[in-house]
Amino acid sequence: MGTAKAQARIQNPILRGFNPDPSVIRVGDDYYIATSTFEWYPGVQIHHSRDLVHWRLLARPLDRARLLDLGGTPDSCGVWAPCLSYADGLYYLVYTDVKRYGRTTQPAGSGASMRDFHNYLVTCPSIDGTWSDPVYLNSSGFDPSLFHDEDGRKYLLNMLWDHRPGRNRFAGIVAQEYSAGRQALVGESRVIFRGTAAGFTEAPHVYKRRGYYYLLTAEGGTGWDHAVTMARARTLDGPYELHPEGHILTSKGRPDAALQRAGHADLVETRTGETYMVYLCGRPLPNRGRCTLGRETAIQRMRWGGDGWLRTEDGQGVPQPDTPAPDLPPHPFPPRPEREDFDEDRLPVDFQWLRSPRPEELYSLTERPGFLRLYGRESLGSLYRQSLVARRQQAECYSAATAVEFSPDCYQQMAGLVCYYNGSKYHYLYISHDEVLGRHVRVMSCLPDRAQPDVFSEPVPIADVLRVHLRVEVDYERLLFAFRCGGLDWQWLPGPFDASVLSDEAGPQWNPNFTGAFVGMCCQDMSGSGRHADFDYFTYREREYRISPEKGRPEGEAHGR
C-alpha cells in the first residue's frame, strides 16, 4: 500500500538576521517581502520567493539621494516599516524616514516627546527596476500603509503620534484618501481605530473580505509584549469591532516559545486561497536573553473561521518554529557564496553601508580591481561619512575573515574588521600606528552597559608586512578575534568579548534599538587626509557551535591571495 506524501514545512525565520517590519504581497506566482533598513543604505530590502519556503534578496529600491539621504540620521532612525503593494500595473512602496527619535517614553508620559517622521510614496512598473522620485505624503506619524479599495480609490493609513504631556503617544490609526492623479492626499484625515489597552498601536494594514474591512495592527511595543491585533468594520471609517481573542498572535507570557517579540504582521493569500501571515520575531540567546540577530521575519499559515475571524491553525495564537508550506513546486535559489573576492564593479548584494547616498566618497571597487578600497573618513559611529561596509549576522555561530593592506602613519588612522550594531555597540579589531609601538593591532569595544563604555585591549605590535589577515569567531555570546601576518600562525587577542552587546536589549532602553548585528570592514582617518585601506576578500561562514573555535580554520584561508 502506498504512503501519502509528507507535506513540506517552512522553517522559521524565513528571513534571518535583521529583517523587521515585513510587508508581503503576491503578484502572479511571485511573492515579495519588504523590510525596514533604518540607517543602512540603500534603503528597504525586498526579498523574493516562488514557494514561500525559499527566499532570495532581490533589491534595495531607495538607492539614490533624491529617494533617500540619511546624513545625520540618528542610530535606529531612517527607514521604518515600508509597505509594499501592487495595483494598476505598478508596485507601490510607502515608507517613513525618521529624522529625530528623542527618547522612548511611556504612552502617557508626563513630558513632551517630540519626534520627526516623514512619509513618502514611490512607484515602479517592475519590482527590481528604477523607482520613481518620492511623493511626500505627511508627517503625522509612522508605519504608513497604502490600501487599494475595490472601487479603485486609495487610502493612506498610519499611526498618529501625540507628543503632548499626559497624552497617549500612540493616538490611534488614521486614514486619508490618496489621489494618484494629483499625487497627493485629499480630504480629511480621521482616526479610525484607537487601539486596545495593550497600547503602542501601530503598523496598520487593511484588507477587504466578504463585505468587511479587516484592520491588522501591532500593539504592546516591539519587545516581549508585542502582539498582532485584528478588528473589522463594514466601512473603512469604522466603527471597528475587536477580534474575540483580541490578539491573533503573540508570544507574550510564553517563555517557552522559540520565537519571541512576535508582532507587526501582514497577510498574503496564495492562488488557491490559503492565507499566510508574516510577522517580525526575535530569537533570544539561550544564556543571555538578548537577540543579537535583531528582529527577523517569520511566517505562519492561518485559517478563517466560520465566524469570519482569522486565527492560527491550532487556535493558540502562538508563533511556531515551522508551518505547513503551500502546495507549490519547490523553487530553491542558489546559495550565496561564503567568500567574496570583490572582482565585480558592484558591491555584493549582502553588503550595505551607512547613511550616505554618495558611496563613491566611501569606497571603490574599481580603483584597485579585485579589492574593496575603503577611504578613511570619520570616526566609527559618525552620523555622516563613515567608511563601513558590512553584512548581516544571520546565525548565532559563524566565522568571518578578511585580509587588509593598510599603511597608517599616525594614531588617527585605523582600519580593520568590525562587529557592529550601532555607534555605541561594537567590537572593532583594527590596525593603527603609534609613535612608540609603530604599526599594531588592537581591539576597541563600545559597551553600552558600562559607565565607561569605551574599552581598549592592549596594543600588539605587528610584523613589518603589508598584508594582515583578520578573523572573528562568534559562538552565541562569545566573540574571539585573531590576526595573522605573512605565513605565521594565527595570534589570538585576549578575550572573549561579549557578543550579546550587539543587540536591541543591550544598553539604555530609552534609546532606539531596532536593528541587528553586522560584521564587516571599515576605515577611519580622523586626521582628514583620507588614508585608504584595501581589502582583498571577505568570508562569512555559518556553522555549528565550537567549544574551541581557535582550532578551526576560517573559510577562504586555503585559497587566499
Side-chain angles (χ1 to χ4, degrees):
M1 186 170 67
T3 58
K5 179 183 176 182
Q7 184 172 19
R9 309 285 295 183
I10 306 174
Q11 300 300 315
N12 279 320
I14 53 172
L15 305 183
R16 296 178 298 117
F18 159 49
N19 278 291
D21 310 328
S23 169
V24 64
I25 60 170
R26 178 180 60 83
V27 179
D29 293 323
D30 294 284
Y31 298 86
Y32 303 103
I33 291 178
T35 54
S36 300
T37 45
F38 295 86
E39 67 265 36
W40 290 90
Y41 211 93
V44 178
Q45 295 215 128
I46 296 179
H47 283 80
H48 169 235
S49 177
R50 300 272 293 181
D51 57 9
L52 295 182
V53 178
H54 305 93
W55 295 84
R56 61 166 175 160
L57 178 57
L58 181 65
R60 295 192 185 98
L62 307 183
D63 59 359
R64 62 188 191 272
R66 289 180 64 89
L67 290 172
L68 188 67
D69 190 338
L70 298 174
T73 295
D75 290 334
S76 282
C77 292
V79 178
W80 285 16
C83 175
L84 188 63
S85 59
Y86 182 81
D88 316 316
L90 282 177
Y91 292 91
Y92 291 78
L93 181 69
V94 292
Y95 58 95
T96 304
D97 183 0
V98 181
K99 294 304 185 186
R100 182 177 186 268
Y101 181 84
R103 291 162 66 93
T104 297
T105 61
Q106 293 302 313
S110 59
S113 183
M114 311 289 280
R115 296 185 181 180
D116 296 303
F117 2 67
H118 309 303
N119 295 314
Y120 298 95
L121 164 68
V122 293
T123 61
C124 191
S126 60
I127 192 72
D128 56 352
T130 300
W131 290 70
S132 69
D133 285 349
V135 174
Y136 170 73
L137 298 171
N138 67 25
S139 301
S140 62
F142 53 85
D143 291 1
S145 176
L146 191 64
F147 171 61
H148 307 267
D149 208 342
E150 294 171 340
D151 61 4
R153 299 171 75 179
K154 306 178 189 302
Y155 298 89
L156 180 76
L157 295 90
N158 59 268
M159 66 77 65
L160 179 65
W161 184 256
D162 191 338
H163 66 272
R164 295 173 294 178
R167 299 299 185 104
N168 185 352
R169 303 280 187 248
F170 291 71
I173 303 302
V174 294
Q176 187 173 2
E177 187 170 358
Y178 173 75
S179 168
R182 294 170 56 182
Q183 293 193 324
L185 295 174
V186 297
E188 295 296 318
S189 174
R190 61 268 186 201
V191 176
I192 64 170
F193 184 64
R194 291 289 182 183
T196 74
F200 300 95
T201 306
E202 57 186 347
H205 292 293
V206 167
Y207 317 89
K208 188 75 172 290
R209 177 183 170 88
R210 297 181 179 176
Y212 280 103
Y213 291 85
Y214 286 86
L215 174 65
L216 207 64
T217 61
E219 293 195 298
T222 194
W224 309 116
D225 294 340
H226 211 190
V228 181
T229 300
M230 176 173 270
R232 71 183 181 186
R234 287 295 185 181
T235 67
L236 181 63
D237 288 348
Y240 282 84
E241 60 173 317
L242 197 61
H243 191 286
E245 283 88 52
H247 308 310
I248 63 172
L249 186 81
T250 186
S251 45
K252 178 182 179 181
R254 293 296 301 266
D256 59 316
L259 305 180
Q260 291 291 320
R261 305 174 65 182
H264 201 120
D266 196 9
L267 303 177
V268 69
E269 192 172 277
T270 67
R271 278 192 184 274
T272 56
E274 295 177 283
T275 298
Y276 283 82
M277 184 165 70
V278 297
Y279 56 94
L280 73 78
C281 66
R283 292 181 289 167
L285 292 175
N287 294 339
R288 299 300 294 273
R290 291 175 170 177
C291 302
T292 53
L293 300 179
R295 297 173 303 157
E296 307 172 278
T297 289
I299 193 169
Q300 202 146 329
R301 192 165 75 175
M302 309 292 286
R303 63 174 177 83
W304 291 96
D307 59 357
W309 288 108
L310 188 68
R311 295 175 176 86
T312 58
E313 282 205 310
D314 61 5
Q316 298 301 306
V318 178
Q320 298 297 326
D322 60 70
T323 196
D327 186 15
L328 293 171
H331 195 94
F333 297 102
R336 295 291 305 153
E338 293 179 345
R339 178 182 170 108
E340 296 288 357
D341 284 305
F342 305 119
D343 291 329
E344 306 295 329
D345 61 1
R346 293 175 61 87
L347 200 64
V349 69
D350 294 317
F351 291 85
Q352 287 181 275
W353 61 96
L354 287 163
R355 295 183 175 86
S356 175
R358 291 167 284 278
E360 68 279 1
E361 297 179 353
L362 308 179
Y363 70 84
S364 173
L365 288 158
T366 58
E367 191 71 20
R368 186 182 178 188
F371 289 78
L372 171 65
R373 172 164 292 183
L374 294 183
Y375 301 110
R377 299 302 183 205
E378 295 174 343
S379 63
L380 190 61
S382 166
L383 304 182
Y384 293 90
R385 293 203 304 166
Q386 196 183 155
S387 291
L388 187 155
V389 171
R391 56 152 298 143
R392 284 158 177 74
Q393 176 184 341
Q394 295 182 284
E396 283 133 338
C397 303
Y398 74 90
S399 305
T402 189
V404 60
E405 298 180 7
F406 181 55
S407 301
D409 58 18
C410 76
Y411 62 88
Q412 293 176 313
Q413 298 166 346
M414 301 181 288
L417 177 65
V418 67
C419 296
Y420 184 93
Y421 179 93
N422 65 19
S424 60
K425 306 181 194 183
Y426 57 78
H427 298 291
Y428 181 23
L429 172 59
Y430 67 91
I431 302 166
S432 189
H433 184 277
D434 181 89
E435 58 267 31
V436 176
L437 289 174
R439 197 157 162 259
H440 62 274
V441 297
R442 197 173 197 178
V443 176
M444 174 171 59
S445 296
C446 194
L447 308 177
D449 299 318
R450 297 193 181 185
Q452 176 59 43
D454 299 325
V455 179
F456 291 81
S457 70
E458 289 298 315
V460 179
I462 56 177
D464 188 20
V465 297
L466 180 60
R467 174 170 297 207
V468 181
H469 294 261
L470 306 173
R471 170 181 175 186
V472 65
E473 300 287 340
V474 173
D475 291 270
Y476 296 101
E477 74 273 17
R478 184 186 65 198
L479 187 153
L480 295 169
F481 280 123
F483 72 95
R484 184 172 67 81
C485 299
L488 301 177
D489 291 337
W490 286 101
Q491 185 171 341
W492 294 89
L493 279 296
F497 301 91
D498 183 5
S500 78
V501 303
L502 310 176
S503 66
D504 295 357
E505 294 79 14
Q509 292 305 294
W510 55 77
N511 292 331
N513 297 278
F514 302 136
T515 56
F518 282 68
V519 58
M521 304 148 284
C522 60
C523 181
Q524 299 81 35
D525 189 343
M526 292 168 287
S527 74
S529 62
R531 181 64 55 94
H532 68 260
D534 289 340
F535 292 85
D536 183 14
Y537 67 86
F538 188 88
T539 65
Y540 170 85
R541 181 167 60 89
E542 298 173 1
R543 54 171 175 75
E544 298 297 320
Y545 173 79
R546 288 180 183 166
I547 297 175
S548 300
E550 304 97 322
K551 297 179 181 179
R553 186 158 69 172
E555 186 70 20
E557 268 297 289
H559 52 280
R561 289 189 292 206

